CSV table of all heavy atoms in Angstrom, one decimal:
chain,number,residue,atom,x,y,z
A,19,ALA,N,-30.2,-34.6,-1.7
A,19,ALA,CA,-30.9,-35.8,-1.3
A,19,ALA,C,-30.0,-37.0,-1.0
A,19,ALA,O,-30.4,-38.2,-1.2
A,19,ALA,CB,-31.8,-36.2,-2.6
A,20,GLY,N,-28.8,-36.7,-0.5
A,20,GLY,CA,-27.9,-37.8,0.0
A,20,GLY,C,-27.4,-38.6,-1.2
A,20,GLY,O,-26.8,-39.7,-1.0
A,21,TYR,N,-27.4,-38.0,-2.4
A,21,TYR,CA,-26.9,-38.7,-3.6
A,21,TYR,C,-25.5,-38.5,-3.7
A,21,TYR,O,-24.9,-37.5,-3.9
A,21,TYR,CB,-27.6,-38.1,-4.8
A,21,TYR,CG,-27.6,-38.8,-6.1
A,21,TYR,CD1,-28.3,-38.6,-7.1
A,21,TYR,CD2,-26.6,-39.9,-6.4
A,21,TYR,CE1,-28.3,-39.2,-8.4
A,21,TYR,CE2,-26.6,-40.5,-7.5
A,21,TYR,CZ,-27.4,-40.2,-8.5
A,21,TYR,OH,-27.3,-40.9,-9.7
A,22,PRO,N,-24.6,-39.7,-3.5
A,22,PRO,CA,-23.2,-39.5,-3.3
A,22,PRO,C,-22.5,-38.9,-4.5
A,22,PRO,O,-21.5,-38.2,-4.5
A,22,PRO,CB,-22.7,-40.9,-3.0
A,22,PRO,CG,-23.9,-41.8,-3.4
A,22,PRO,CD,-25.1,-41.0,-3.2
A,23,TYR,N,-23.0,-39.3,-5.7
A,23,TYR,CA,-22.4,-38.8,-6.9
A,23,TYR,C,-22.4,-37.3,-7.0
A,23,TYR,O,-21.4,-36.6,-7.3
A,23,TYR,CB,-23.0,-39.4,-8.2
A,23,TYR,CG,-22.2,-39.2,-9.5
A,23,TYR,CD1,-21.4,-40.2,-9.9
A,23,TYR,CD2,-22.2,-38.0,-10.2
A,23,TYR,CE1,-20.5,-40.1,-11.0
A,23,TYR,CE2,-21.4,-37.9,-11.3
A,23,TYR,CZ,-20.6,-38.9,-11.7
A,23,TYR,OH,-19.8,-38.8,-12.8
A,24,TYR,N,-23.6,-36.7,-6.7
A,24,TYR,CA,-23.7,-35.3,-6.8
A,24,TYR,C,-22.9,-34.6,-5.6
A,24,TYR,O,-22.4,-33.5,-5.8
A,24,TYR,CB,-25.2,-34.8,-6.7
A,24,TYR,CG,-25.9,-34.9,-8.0
A,24,TYR,CD1,-26.8,-35.9,-8.3
A,24,TYR,CD2,-25.6,-33.9,-9.0
A,24,TYR,CE1,-27.4,-35.9,-9.6
A,24,TYR,CE2,-26.2,-33.9,-10.2
A,24,TYR,CZ,-27.1,-35.0,-10.5
A,24,TYR,OH,-27.7,-35.0,-11.7
A,25,ILE,N,-22.9,-35.2,-4.5
A,25,ILE,CA,-22.2,-34.7,-3.3
A,25,ILE,C,-20.7,-34.6,-3.7
A,25,ILE,O,-20.0,-33.5,-3.5
A,25,ILE,CB,-22.3,-35.6,-2.1
A,25,ILE,CG1,-23.8,-35.4,-1.6
A,25,ILE,CG2,-21.4,-35.1,-0.9
A,25,ILE,CD1,-24.1,-36.5,-0.5
A,26,VAL,N,-20.1,-35.6,-4.2
A,26,VAL,CA,-18.7,-35.6,-4.6
A,26,VAL,C,-18.5,-34.6,-5.8
A,26,VAL,O,-17.5,-33.8,-5.8
A,26,VAL,CB,-18.2,-37.0,-5.1
A,26,VAL,CG1,-16.8,-37.0,-5.7
A,26,VAL,CG2,-18.3,-38.0,-4.0
A,27,ALA,N,-19.4,-34.6,-6.8
A,27,ALA,CA,-19.2,-33.8,-8.0
A,27,ALA,C,-19.2,-32.3,-7.6
A,27,ALA,O,-18.3,-31.6,-7.9
A,27,ALA,CB,-20.3,-34.0,-9.0
A,28,PHE,N,-20.2,-31.9,-6.8
A,28,PHE,CA,-20.2,-30.4,-6.5
A,28,PHE,C,-19.2,-30.0,-5.4
A,28,PHE,O,-18.7,-28.9,-5.5
A,28,PHE,CB,-21.7,-30.1,-6.1
A,28,PHE,CG,-22.7,-30.1,-7.2
A,28,PHE,CD1,-23.8,-30.9,-7.1
A,28,PHE,CD2,-22.4,-29.4,-8.3
A,28,PHE,CE1,-24.7,-30.9,-8.2
A,28,PHE,CE2,-23.3,-29.4,-9.4
A,28,PHE,CZ,-24.5,-30.1,-9.3
A,29,CYS,N,-19.0,-30.9,-4.5
A,29,CYS,CA,-17.9,-30.6,-3.5
A,29,CYS,C,-16.6,-30.5,-4.2
A,29,CYS,O,-15.7,-29.5,-3.8
A,29,CYS,CB,-17.9,-31.6,-2.4
A,29,CYS,SG,-19.2,-31.5,-1.2
A,30,LYS,N,-16.3,-31.4,-5.1
A,30,LYS,CA,-15.0,-31.2,-5.9
A,30,LYS,C,-15.0,-30.0,-6.7
A,30,LYS,O,-13.9,-29.3,-6.9
A,30,LYS,CB,-14.8,-32.5,-6.7
A,30,LYS,CG,-14.3,-33.7,-6.0
A,30,LYS,CD,-13.8,-34.8,-6.9
A,30,LYS,CE,-12.4,-34.4,-7.4
A,30,LYS,NZ,-11.8,-35.5,-8.1
A,31,PHE,N,-16.1,-29.7,-7.3
A,31,PHE,CA,-16.2,-28.4,-8.1
A,31,PHE,C,-16.0,-27.2,-7.3
A,31,PHE,O,-15.2,-26.3,-7.7
A,31,PHE,CB,-17.6,-28.4,-8.8
A,31,PHE,CG,-17.7,-27.5,-10.0
A,31,PHE,CD1,-16.6,-27.3,-10.8
A,31,PHE,CD2,-18.9,-27.0,-10.4
A,31,PHE,CE1,-16.6,-26.5,-11.9
A,31,PHE,CE2,-18.9,-26.2,-11.5
A,31,PHE,CZ,-17.8,-26.0,-12.3
A,32,ILE,N,-16.5,-27.2,-6.1
A,32,ILE,CA,-16.2,-26.0,-5.2
A,32,ILE,C,-14.7,-26.0,-4.8
A,32,ILE,O,-14.1,-24.9,-4.9
A,32,ILE,CB,-17.1,-26.2,-3.9
A,32,ILE,CG1,-18.5,-25.9,-4.2
A,32,ILE,CG2,-16.6,-25.2,-2.8
A,32,ILE,CD1,-19.4,-26.2,-3.0
A,33,LYS,N,-14.2,-27.1,-4.5
A,33,LYS,CA,-12.8,-27.1,-4.1
A,33,LYS,C,-11.8,-26.8,-5.2
A,33,LYS,O,-10.9,-26.1,-4.9
A,33,LYS,CB,-12.5,-28.6,-3.6
A,33,LYS,CG,-11.1,-28.8,-3.1
A,33,LYS,CD,-10.9,-30.3,-2.6
A,33,LYS,CE,-9.5,-30.5,-2.1
A,33,LYS,NZ,-9.3,-31.9,-1.6
A,34,GLU,N,-12.1,-27.1,-6.4
A,34,GLU,CA,-11.2,-27.0,-7.5
A,34,GLU,C,-11.4,-25.6,-8.3
A,34,GLU,O,-10.4,-25.2,-8.9
A,34,GLU,CB,-11.2,-28.1,-8.4
A,34,GLU,CG,-10.8,-29.4,-7.8
A,34,GLU,CD,-10.9,-30.6,-8.6
A,34,GLU,OE1,-11.4,-30.5,-9.8
A,34,GLU,OE2,-10.7,-31.8,-8.2
A,35,SER,N,-12.6,-25.1,-8.2
A,35,SER,CA,-12.9,-24.0,-9.1
A,35,SER,C,-12.3,-22.7,-8.5
A,35,SER,O,-11.7,-21.8,-9.2
A,35,SER,CB,-14.3,-23.8,-9.3
A,35,SER,OG,-15.0,-23.4,-8.1
A,36,GLY,N,-12.5,-22.4,-7.2
A,36,GLY,CA,-12.1,-21.2,-6.6
A,36,GLY,C,-12.8,-20.0,-6.9
A,36,GLY,O,-12.6,-18.9,-6.5
A,37,THR,N,-14.0,-20.2,-7.7
A,37,THR,CA,-14.8,-19.0,-8.1
A,37,THR,C,-16.1,-18.9,-7.4
A,37,THR,O,-16.7,-17.9,-7.6
A,37,THR,CB,-15.0,-19.1,-9.6
A,37,THR,OG1,-15.7,-20.3,-9.9
A,37,THR,CG2,-13.7,-19.1,-10.4
A,38,PHE,N,-16.5,-19.8,-6.7
A,38,PHE,CA,-17.8,-19.7,-6.0
A,38,PHE,C,-17.7,-20.6,-4.7
A,38,PHE,O,-16.8,-21.4,-4.5
A,38,PHE,CB,-18.9,-20.1,-6.8
A,38,PHE,CG,-19.0,-21.6,-7.2
A,38,PHE,CD1,-19.7,-22.5,-6.4
A,38,PHE,CD2,-18.3,-22.1,-8.3
A,38,PHE,CE1,-19.8,-23.8,-6.8
A,38,PHE,CE2,-18.3,-23.4,-8.6
A,38,PHE,CZ,-19.1,-24.3,-7.9
A,39,ASN,N,-18.6,-20.4,-3.8
A,39,ASN,CA,-18.6,-21.0,-2.5
A,39,ASN,C,-19.8,-21.9,-2.3
A,39,ASN,O,-20.7,-21.9,-3.1
A,39,ASN,CB,-18.4,-20.0,-1.4
A,39,ASN,CG,-19.5,-19.0,-1.4
A,39,ASN,OD1,-20.6,-19.2,-1.8
A,39,ASN,ND2,-19.1,-17.8,-0.9
A,40,LEU,N,-19.8,-22.5,-1.1
A,40,LEU,CA,-20.9,-23.4,-0.8
A,40,LEU,C,-22.3,-22.7,-0.7
A,40,LEU,O,-23.3,-23.2,-1.1
A,40,LEU,CB,-20.7,-24.0,0.6
A,40,LEU,CG,-21.5,-25.2,1.1
A,40,LEU,CD1,-21.5,-26.3,0.0
A,40,LEU,CD2,-21.1,-25.7,2.4
A,41,GLU,N,-22.3,-21.5,-0.2
A,41,GLU,CA,-23.5,-20.7,-0.1
A,41,GLU,C,-24.1,-20.4,-1.5
A,41,GLU,O,-25.3,-20.5,-1.6
A,41,GLU,CB,-23.2,-19.3,0.6
A,41,GLU,CG,-24.4,-18.5,0.9
A,41,GLU,CD,-25.4,-19.2,1.9
A,41,GLU,OE1,-24.9,-20.0,2.8
A,41,GLU,OE2,-26.6,-19.0,1.8
A,42,ARG,N,-23.3,-20.1,-2.4
A,42,ARG,CA,-23.7,-19.8,-3.8
A,42,ARG,C,-24.4,-21.0,-4.4
A,42,ARG,O,-25.4,-21.0,-5.0
A,42,ARG,CB,-22.6,-19.2,-4.6
A,42,ARG,CG,-23.1,-18.8,-6.0
A,42,ARG,CD,-21.9,-18.3,-6.9
A,42,ARG,NE,-22.3,-18.3,-8.3
A,42,ARG,CZ,-21.5,-18.1,-9.2
A,42,ARG,NH1,-20.1,-18.1,-9.0
A,42,ARG,NH2,-21.8,-18.1,-10.5
A,43,LEU,N,-23.7,-22.2,-4.2
A,43,LEU,CA,-24.3,-23.4,-4.7
A,43,LEU,C,-25.6,-23.7,-4.1
A,43,LEU,O,-26.5,-24.1,-4.8
A,43,LEU,CB,-23.3,-24.6,-4.4
A,43,LEU,CG,-23.8,-26.0,-4.8
A,43,LEU,CD1,-24.0,-26.1,-6.3
A,43,LEU,CD2,-22.7,-27.0,-4.4
A,44,ARG,N,-25.7,-23.6,-2.8
A,44,ARG,CA,-27.0,-23.8,-2.1
A,44,ARG,C,-28.1,-23.0,-2.6
A,44,ARG,O,-29.3,-23.3,-2.8
A,44,ARG,CB,-26.8,-23.7,-0.6
A,44,ARG,CG,-26.0,-24.8,0.1
A,44,ARG,CD,-26.0,-24.8,1.6
A,44,ARG,NE,-27.3,-24.5,2.1
A,44,ARG,CZ,-27.6,-23.5,2.9
A,44,ARG,NH1,-26.8,-22.6,3.2
A,44,ARG,NH2,-28.9,-23.3,3.3
A,45,THR,N,-27.8,-21.7,-3.0
A,45,THR,CA,-28.8,-20.7,-3.5
A,45,THR,C,-29.3,-21.2,-4.8
A,45,THR,O,-30.5,-21.2,-5.1
A,45,THR,CB,-28.2,-19.3,-3.6
A,45,THR,OG1,-27.7,-18.9,-2.4
A,45,THR,CG2,-29.2,-18.4,-4.2
A,46,VAL,N,-28.4,-21.7,-5.7
A,46,VAL,CA,-28.8,-22.2,-7.0
A,46,VAL,C,-29.6,-23.5,-6.8
A,46,VAL,O,-30.6,-23.7,-7.5
A,46,VAL,CB,-27.5,-22.5,-7.9
A,46,VAL,CG1,-27.9,-23.2,-9.1
A,46,VAL,CG2,-26.8,-21.2,-8.2
A,47,LEU,N,-29.3,-24.3,-5.9
A,47,LEU,CA,-30.0,-25.6,-5.7
A,47,LEU,C,-31.4,-25.5,-5.2
A,47,LEU,O,-32.2,-26.4,-5.3
A,47,LEU,CB,-29.2,-26.5,-4.7
A,47,LEU,CG,-27.9,-27.1,-5.2
A,47,LEU,CD1,-27.1,-27.8,-4.1
A,47,LEU,CD2,-28.1,-28.1,-6.4
A,48,LYS,N,-31.7,-24.3,-4.6
A,48,LYS,CA,-33.0,-24.1,-4.1
A,48,LYS,C,-34.1,-24.2,-5.2
A,48,LYS,O,-35.3,-24.4,-4.9
A,48,LYS,CB,-33.1,-22.7,-3.4
A,48,LYS,CG,-32.4,-22.6,-2.0
A,48,LYS,CD,-32.5,-21.3,-1.4
A,48,LYS,CE,-31.8,-21.2,-0.1
A,48,LYS,NZ,-31.8,-19.8,0.5
A,49,ASP,N,-33.7,-24.0,-6.4
A,49,ASP,CA,-34.7,-24.1,-7.5
A,49,ASP,C,-34.9,-25.5,-7.9
A,49,ASP,O,-35.7,-25.7,-8.9
A,49,ASP,CB,-34.2,-23.2,-8.7
A,49,ASP,CG,-34.2,-21.8,-8.3
A,49,ASP,OD1,-35.0,-21.3,-7.6
A,49,ASP,OD2,-33.3,-21.0,-8.9
A,50,HIS,N,-34.3,-26.5,-7.3
A,50,HIS,CA,-34.4,-27.9,-7.7
A,50,HIS,C,-34.8,-28.8,-6.5
A,50,HIS,O,-34.4,-28.5,-5.4
A,50,HIS,CB,-33.1,-28.4,-8.3
A,50,HIS,CG,-32.7,-27.6,-9.5
A,50,HIS,ND1,-33.1,-27.8,-10.8
A,50,HIS,CD2,-31.8,-26.5,-9.6
A,50,HIS,CE1,-32.6,-26.9,-11.6
A,50,HIS,NE2,-31.8,-26.1,-10.9
A,51,SER,N,-35.6,-29.7,-6.8
A,51,SER,CA,-36.2,-30.7,-5.8
A,51,SER,C,-35.3,-31.9,-5.7
A,51,SER,O,-34.6,-32.3,-6.7
A,51,SER,CB,-37.6,-31.0,-6.0
A,51,SER,OG,-37.7,-31.8,-7.2
A,52,ALA,N,-35.4,-32.6,-4.6
A,52,ALA,CA,-34.6,-33.8,-4.4
A,52,ALA,C,-35.1,-34.9,-5.4
A,52,ALA,O,-34.2,-35.7,-5.9
A,52,ALA,CB,-34.8,-34.4,-3.0
A,53,SER,N,-36.3,-34.8,-5.8
A,53,SER,CA,-36.8,-35.8,-6.8
A,53,SER,C,-36.2,-35.7,-8.1
A,53,SER,O,-36.0,-36.7,-8.9
A,53,SER,CB,-38.4,-35.8,-6.9
A,53,SER,OG,-38.7,-34.5,-7.4
A,54,GLU,N,-35.8,-34.5,-8.4
A,54,GLU,CA,-35.0,-34.3,-9.7
A,54,GLU,C,-33.7,-35.1,-9.7
A,54,GLU,O,-33.3,-35.6,-10.7
A,54,GLU,CB,-34.8,-32.8,-10.0
A,54,GLU,CG,-36.1,-32.0,-10.3
A,54,GLU,CD,-35.8,-30.6,-10.6
A,54,GLU,OE1,-35.6,-29.8,-9.6
A,54,GLU,OE2,-35.7,-30.2,-11.8
A,55,PHE,N,-33.0,-34.9,-8.7
A,55,PHE,CA,-31.7,-35.6,-8.5
A,55,PHE,C,-31.8,-37.1,-8.5
A,55,PHE,O,-30.9,-37.8,-9.0
A,55,PHE,CB,-30.9,-35.1,-7.2
A,55,PHE,CG,-30.6,-33.7,-7.3
A,55,PHE,CD1,-31.2,-32.8,-6.5
A,55,PHE,CD2,-29.6,-33.2,-8.1
A,55,PHE,CE1,-30.8,-31.5,-6.5
A,55,PHE,CE2,-29.2,-31.9,-8.2
A,55,PHE,CZ,-29.9,-31.0,-7.3
A,56,LEU,N,-32.9,-37.6,-7.9
A,56,LEU,CA,-33.1,-39.1,-7.8
A,56,LEU,C,-33.9,-39.7,-8.9
A,56,LEU,O,-34.5,-40.7,-8.7
A,56,LEU,CB,-33.6,-39.4,-6.4
A,56,LEU,CG,-32.7,-39.0,-5.2
A,56,LEU,CD1,-33.4,-39.3,-3.9
A,56,LEU,CD2,-31.4,-39.7,-5.3
A,57,ASP,N,-34.1,-39.0,-10.0
A,57,ASP,CA,-34.9,-39.4,-11.1
A,57,ASP,C,-34.3,-40.7,-11.7
A,57,ASP,O,-33.1,-40.6,-12.0
A,57,ASP,CB,-35.1,-38.3,-12.1
A,57,ASP,CG,-36.3,-38.6,-13.1
A,57,ASP,OD1,-36.2,-39.6,-13.8
A,57,ASP,OD2,-37.2,-37.9,-13.1
A,58,HIS,N,-35.0,-41.7,-11.9
A,58,HIS,CA,-34.5,-42.9,-12.4
A,58,HIS,C,-34.1,-42.8,-13.9
A,58,HIS,O,-33.4,-43.7,-14.5
A,58,HIS,CB,-35.5,-44.1,-12.2
A,58,HIS,CG,-35.4,-44.7,-10.9
A,58,HIS,ND1,-34.6,-45.7,-10.5
A,58,HIS,CD2,-36.1,-44.4,-9.8
A,58,HIS,CE1,-34.6,-46.0,-9.3
A,58,HIS,NE2,-35.6,-45.3,-8.8
A,59,ASN,N,-34.6,-41.7,-14.6
A,59,ASN,CA,-34.2,-41.5,-15.9
A,59,ASN,C,-32.9,-40.7,-15.8
A,59,ASN,O,-32.9,-39.5,-15.5
A,59,ASN,CB,-35.2,-40.7,-16.6
A,59,ASN,CG,-34.9,-40.4,-18.1
A,59,ASN,OD1,-33.7,-40.4,-18.5
A,59,ASN,ND2,-35.9,-40.2,-18.9
A,60,SER,N,-31.8,-41.3,-16.2
A,60,SER,CA,-30.4,-40.7,-16.0
A,60,SER,C,-30.3,-39.5,-16.9
A,60,SER,O,-29.6,-38.6,-16.5
A,60,SER,CB,-29.3,-41.7,-16.3
A,60,SER,OG,-29.5,-42.1,-17.7
A,61,ASN,N,-31.1,-39.4,-18.0
A,61,ASN,CA,-31.0,-38.1,-18.8
A,61,ASN,C,-31.6,-37.0,-18.1
A,61,ASN,O,-31.1,-35.9,-18.2
A,61,ASN,CB,-31.7,-38.4,-20.1
A,61,ASN,CG,-31.0,-39.4,-21.1
A,61,ASN,OD1,-29.8,-39.4,-21.0
A,61,ASN,ND2,-31.8,-40.1,-21.8
A,62,VAL,N,-32.7,-37.2,-17.3
A,62,VAL,CA,-33.3,-36.1,-16.5
A,62,VAL,C,-32.3,-35.7,-15.5
A,62,VAL,O,-32.0,-34.5,-15.3
A,62,VAL,CB,-34.6,-36.6,-15.8
A,62,VAL,CG1,-35.1,-35.6,-14.8
A,62,VAL,CG2,-35.6,-36.9,-16.8
A,63,SER,N,-31.6,-36.6,-14.8
A,63,SER,CA,-30.6,-36.3,-13.7
A,63,SER,C,-29.5,-35.5,-14.3
A,63,SER,O,-29.0,-34.6,-13.7
A,63,SER,CB,-30.2,-37.6,-13.0
A,63,SER,OG,-29.4,-37.3,-11.9
A,64,LYS,N,-29.0,-36.0,-15.4
A,64,LYS,CA,-27.8,-35.4,-16.1
A,64,LYS,C,-28.2,-33.9,-16.5
A,64,LYS,O,-27.4,-33.0,-16.4
A,64,LYS,CB,-27.5,-36.1,-17.3
A,64,LYS,CG,-26.2,-35.5,-18.1
A,64,LYS,CD,-25.9,-36.4,-19.2
A,64,LYS,CE,-24.7,-35.8,-20.1
A,64,LYS,NZ,-24.3,-36.6,-21.2
């Protein structure tokens, strides 16, 4: 959803972990909607 914090967090995680790739992350993300990431309740987002 264009959320910069998550973009940086997950891209850095991909870059530094070396155990999974972008395709795997995208597969996992399919189970979540953009509204979940942009929830104004930070506990939900976390």
